[in-house]
Coordinates of all heavy atoms in Angstrom, one line a residue:
A1 N 2.0 -6.1 -11.4 CA 2.3 -5.1 -10.4 C 1.1 -4.6 -9.7 O 1.1 -4.4 -8.5 CB 3.1 -4.0 -11.1
R2 N 0.0 -4.5 -10.5 CA -1.3 -4.0 -9.9 C -1.8 -5.1 -8.9 O -2.2 -4.8 -7.8 CB -2.3 -3.7 -11.0 CG -3.6 -3.1 -10.4 CD -4.6 -2.8 -11.6 NE -5.7 -2.0 -11.1 CZ -6.7 -2.5 -10.4 NH1 -6.8 -3.8 -10.2 NH2 -7.7 -1.7 -10.0
R3 N -1.8 -6.3 -9.3 CA -2.3 -7.4 -8.5 C -1.5 -7.5 -7.2 O -2.1 -7.6 -6.1 CB -2.2 -8.8 -9.3 CG -2.8 -9.9 -8.5 CD -2.7 -11.2 -9.2 NE -1.3 -11.7 -9.3 CZ -0.6 -11.7 -10.4 NH1 -1.1 -11.3 -11.6 NH2 0.7 -12.1 -10.4
E4 N -0.2 -7.5 -7.3 CA 0.7 -7.6 -6.1 C 0.5 -6.3 -5.3 O 0.5 -6.4 -4.0 CB 2.1 -7.8 -6.5 CG 2.3 -9.1 -7.2 CD 3.8 -9.4 -7.5 OE1 4.6 -8.5 -7.3 OE2 4.1 -10.6 -7.9
A5 N 0.4 -5.2 -5.9 CA 0.2 -3.9 -5.1 C -1.0 -4.0 -4.2 O -1.0 -3.6 -3.1 CB 0.2 -2.7 -6.0
L6 N -2.1 -4.5 -4.8 CA -3.4 -4.6 -4.1 C -3.2 -5.6 -2.9 O -3.8 -5.4 -1.8 CB -4.5 -5.0 -5.0 CG -5.0 -3.9 -6.0 CD1 -5.9 -4.5 -7.0 CD2 -5.7 -2.8 -5.2
E7 N -2.4 -6.7 -3.1 CA -2.2 -7.6 -2.0 C -1.4 -7.0 -0.9 O -1.7 -7.2 0.3 CB -1.5 -8.8 -2.6 CG -2.3 -9.7 -3.5 CD -1.7 -11.1 -3.7 OE1 -1.1 -11.6 -2.7 OE2 -1.8 -11.6 -4.8
Y8 N -0.4 -6.2 -1.3 CA 0.4 -5.5 -0.2 C -0.5 -4.5 0.5 O -0.4 -4.4 1.8 CB 1.6 -4.8 -0.8 CG 2.7 -5.8 -1.1 CD1 3.2 -6.0 -2.4 CD2 3.4 -6.5 -0.1 CE1 4.2 -6.9 -2.7 CE2 4.4 -7.4 -0.3 CZ 4.8 -7.6 -1.6 OH 5.8 -8.5 -1.9
L9 N -1.3 -3.8 -0.2 CA -2.2 -2.8 0.5 C -3.1 -3.5 1.4 O -3.5 -3.0 2.5 CB -2.9 -1.9 -0.6 CG -2.1 -0.9 -1.3 CD1 -2.8 -0.3 -2.5 CD2 -1.6 0.2 -0.4
A10 N -3.6 -4.7 1.0 CA -4.4 -5.5 1.9 C -3.7 -5.9 3.1 O -4.3 -5.9 4.2 CB -5.0 -6.7 1.1
R11 N -2.4 -6.3 3.0 CA -1.7 -6.7 4.1 C -1.5 -5.7 5.2 O -1.5 -6.0 6.4 CB -0.2 -7.2 3.7 CG -0.2 -8.4 2.7 CD -0.8 -9.6 3.4 NE -0.7 -10.7 2.4 CZ -1.7 -11.1 1.6 NH1 -2.8 -10.4 1.6 NH2 -1.6 -12.1 0.8
V12 N -1.5 -4.4 4.7 CA -1.3 -3.3 5.7 C -2.6 -2.6 6.0 O -2.7 -1.6 6.7 CB -0.3 -2.3 5.2 CG1 1.1 -3.0 5.0 CG2 -0.7 -1.6 4.0
G13 N -3.7 -3.2 5.5 CA -5.1 -2.7 5.9 C -5.6 -1.5 5.2 O -6.5 -0.8 5.8
V14 N -5.1 -1.1 4.0 CA -5.6 0.1 3.4 C -6.0 -0.2 1.9 O -6.0 0.7 1.1 CB -4.5 1.2 3.4 CG1 -4.4 1.8 4.8 CG2 -3.2 0.8 2.8
E15 N -6.3 -1.5 1.6 CA -6.7 -1.8 0.2 C -7.9 -1.0 -0.2 O -8.1 -0.7 -1.4 CB -7.0 -3.3 0.1 CG -8.2 -3.8 0.8 CD -8.0 -4.2 2.2 OE1 -7.1 -3.7 2.9 OE2 -8.8 -5.0 2.7
N16 N -8.8 -0.6 0.7 CA -10.0 0.2 0.3 C -9.7 1.6 0.0 O -10.5 2.4 -0.4 CB -11.1 0.1 1.4 CG -10.6 0.6 2.8 OD1 -9.4 0.7 3.0 ND2 -11.5 1.0 3.6
Q17 N -8.4 2.0 0.2 CA -8.0 3.4 -0.1 C -7.2 3.5 -1.4 O -6.6 4.5 -1.8 CB -7.1 4.0 1.0 CG -7.7 3.8 2.4 CD -8.9 4.6 2.6 OE1 -9.1 5.7 2.0 NE2 -9.8 4.1 3.5
A18 N -7.1 2.4 -2.2 CA -6.2 2.2 -3.3 C -6.3 3.3 -4.3 O -5.3 3.8 -4.9 CB -6.4 0.8 -3.9
D19 N -7.5 3.8 -4.6 CA -7.8 4.7 -5.7 C -7.8 6.2 -5.2 O -8.1 7.1 -6.0 CB -9.1 4.4 -6.4 CG -9.1 3.1 -7.1 OD1 -8.0 2.7 -7.6 OD2 -10.1 2.4 -7.1
K20 N -7.4 6.4 -3.9 CA -7.4 7.8 -3.4 C -6.0 8.3 -3.5 O -5.0 7.6 -3.6 CB -7.8 7.8 -1.9 CG -9.3 7.4 -1.8 CD -9.7 7.5 -0.3 CE -11.2 7.2 -0.1 NZ -11.5 7.2 1.4
L21 N -5.9 9.7 -3.5 CA -4.6 10.4 -3.5 C -4.1 10.4 -2.0 O -4.9 10.3 -1.1 CB -4.8 11.8 -4.0 CG -5.1 11.9 -5.5 CD1 -5.4 13.4 -5.8 CD2 -4.0 11.4 -6.4
P22 N -2.8 10.5 -1.8 CA -2.3 10.6 -0.4 C -3.0 11.6 0.4 O -3.2 11.4 1.6 CB -0.8 10.9 -0.6 CG -0.5 10.3 -2.0 CD -1.7 10.5 -2.8
S23 N -3.3 12.8 -0.1 CA -3.9 13.9 0.7 C -5.3 13.5 1.2 O -5.8 14.1 2.1 CB -4.1 15.1 -0.2 OG -4.9 14.9 -1.3
Q24 N -5.9 12.4 0.6 CA -7.3 12.0 1.1 C -7.2 11.0 2.2 O -8.2 10.6 2.7 CB -8.0 11.4 -0.1 CG -8.3 12.4 -1.2 CD -8.9 11.8 -2.4 OE1 -8.3 11.1 -3.2 NE2 -10.2 12.0 -2.6
L25 N -6.0 10.6 2.6 CA -5.8 9.6 3.7 C -5.3 10.3 5.0 O -4.7 11.3 4.9 CB -4.7 8.6 3.2 CG -5.3 7.4 2.4 CD1 -5.9 7.8 1.1 CD2 -4.1 6.4 2.2
S26 N -5.5 9.6 6.1 CA -4.9 10.0 7.3 C -3.4 9.8 7.3 O -2.9 9.0 6.5 CB -5.6 9.3 8.5 OG -5.1 7.9 8.5
G27 N -2.7 10.4 8.3 CA -1.3 10.1 8.4 C -1.0 8.7 8.6 O 0.0 8.2 8.0
G28 N -1.7 8.0 9.4 CA -1.5 6.6 9.6 C -1.7 5.7 8.4 O -0.9 4.8 8.1
Q29 N -2.7 6.1 7.6 CA -3.0 5.4 6.4 C -1.9 5.6 5.4 O -1.5 4.7 4.7 CB -4.3 5.8 5.8 CG -5.5 5.3 6.6 CD -6.8 5.9 6.1 OE1 -6.9 7.0 5.7 NE2 -7.9 5.1 6.3
Q30 N -1.4 6.9 5.3 CA -0.3 7.2 4.4 C 0.9 6.4 4.7 O 1.6 5.9 3.8 CB 0.0 8.7 4.4 CG -1.1 9.5 3.7 CD -0.7 11.0 3.6 OE1 0.3 11.3 3.0 NE2 -1.4 11.8 4.3
Q31 N 1.2 6.3 6.0 CA 2.5 5.6 6.4 C 2.3 4.1 6.1 O 3.3 3.5 5.7 CB 2.8 5.8 7.9 CG 4.2 5.4 8.3 CD 5.3 6.1 7.6 OE1 5.4 6.0 6.4 NE2 6.0 6.9 8.3
R32 N 1.1 3.5 6.3 CA 0.9 2.1 6.0 C 1.1 1.9 4.5 O 1.6 0.9 4.0 CB -0.4 1.6 6.5 CG -0.4 1.4 8.0 CD -1.7 0.8 8.5 NE -2.8 1.8 8.7 CZ -4.1 1.5 8.6 NH1 -4.5 0.3 8.3 NH2 -4.9 2.4 8.8
A33 N 0.6 2.9 3.7 CA 0.8 2.8 2.2 C 2.2 2.9 1.9 O 2.7 2.2 1.0 CB 0.0 3.9 1.6
A34 N 3.0 3.7 2.6 CA 4.4 3.8 2.3 C 5.1 2.5 2.7 O 6.1 2.1 2.0 CB 5.0 5.0 3.2
I35 N 4.7 1.8 3.7 CA 5.3 0.5 4.0 C 4.9 -0.5 2.9 O 5.8 -1.3 2.5 CB 4.7 0.0 5.4 CG1 5.3 0.9 6.5 CG2 5.1 -1.5 5.6 CD1 4.7 0.6 7.9
A36 N 3.7 -0.5 2.4 CA 3.3 -1.3 1.3 C 4.2 -1.1 0.1 O 4.6 -2.0 -0.7 CB 1.8 -1.2 1.0
R37 N 4.4 0.2 -0.2 CA 5.3 0.6 -1.4 C 6.7 0.0 -1.2 O 7.2 -0.5 -2.2 CB 5.3 2.1 -1.5 CG 6.2 2.6 -2.6 CD 6.4 4.1 -2.6 NE 6.9 4.6 -1.3 CZ 7.1 5.9 -1.1 NH1 6.7 6.8 -1.9 NH2 7.6 6.3 0.1
A38 N 7.2 0.1 0.0 CA 8.6 -0.5 0.2 C 8.5 -2.0 0.0 O 9.4 -2.6 -0.6 CB 9.1 -0.1 1.6
L39 N 7.5 -2.7 0.6 CA 7.4 -4.1 0.5 C 7.2 -4.6 -1.0 O 7.7 -5.7 -1.3 CB 6.2 -4.6 1.3 CG 6.4 -4.5 2.8 CD1 5.1 -4.9 3.5 CD2 7.5 -5.4 3.3
A40 N 6.6 -3.8 -1.8 CA 6.3 -4.2 -3.2 C 7.6 -4.4 -4.0 O 7.6 -5.2 -5.0 CB 5.5 -3.1 -3.9
M41 N 8.7 -3.9 -3.5 CA 10.0 -4.1 -4.1 C 10.7 -5.4 -3.6 O 11.8 -5.8 -4.1 CB 11.0 -2.9 -3.9 CG 10.5 -1.6 -4.6 SD 10.5 -1.8 -6.4 CE 12.2 -1.7 -6.7
K42 N 10.0 -6.1 -2.7 CA 10.5 -7.4 -2.2 C 11.9 -7.2 -1.6 O 12.9 -7.9 -2.1 CB 10.4 -8.5 -3.2 CG 8.9 -8.7 -3.6 CD 8.8 -9.7 -4.7 CE 7.3 -9.8 -5.1 NZ 7.1 -10.7 -6.3
P43 N 12.1 -6.3 -0.7 CA 13.5 -6.0 -0.3 C 14.1 -7.0 0.6 O 13.4 -7.8 1.2 CB 13.3 -4.7 0.5 CG 11.9 -4.8 1.1 CD 11.1 -5.5 0.0
K44 N 15.4 -7.0 0.7 CA 16.1 -7.9 1.6 C 16.1 -7.4 3.1 O 16.2 -8.2 4.0 CB 17.6 -8.1 1.2 CG 17.7 -8.8 -0.2 CD 19.2 -8.8 -0.6 CE 19.4 -9.6 -1.9 NZ 20.8 -9.6 -2.3
V45 N 16.0 -6.1 3.2 CA 16.0 -5.5 4.5 C 15.1 -4.2 4.5 O 15.1 -3.6 3.4 CB 17.5 -5.1 5.0 CG1 18.2 -4.2 4.0 CG2 17.5 -4.5 6.4

């Protein structure tokens, strides 16, 4: 899960923020992380 999560974070361009808390990120970075979180479940839609 950690390996795949880092890959998803890389896909959305925030892998260098992986160890930070959400409050330490900009709104755009938080939303990209939220997209990575959704993708990590490998959804159908």
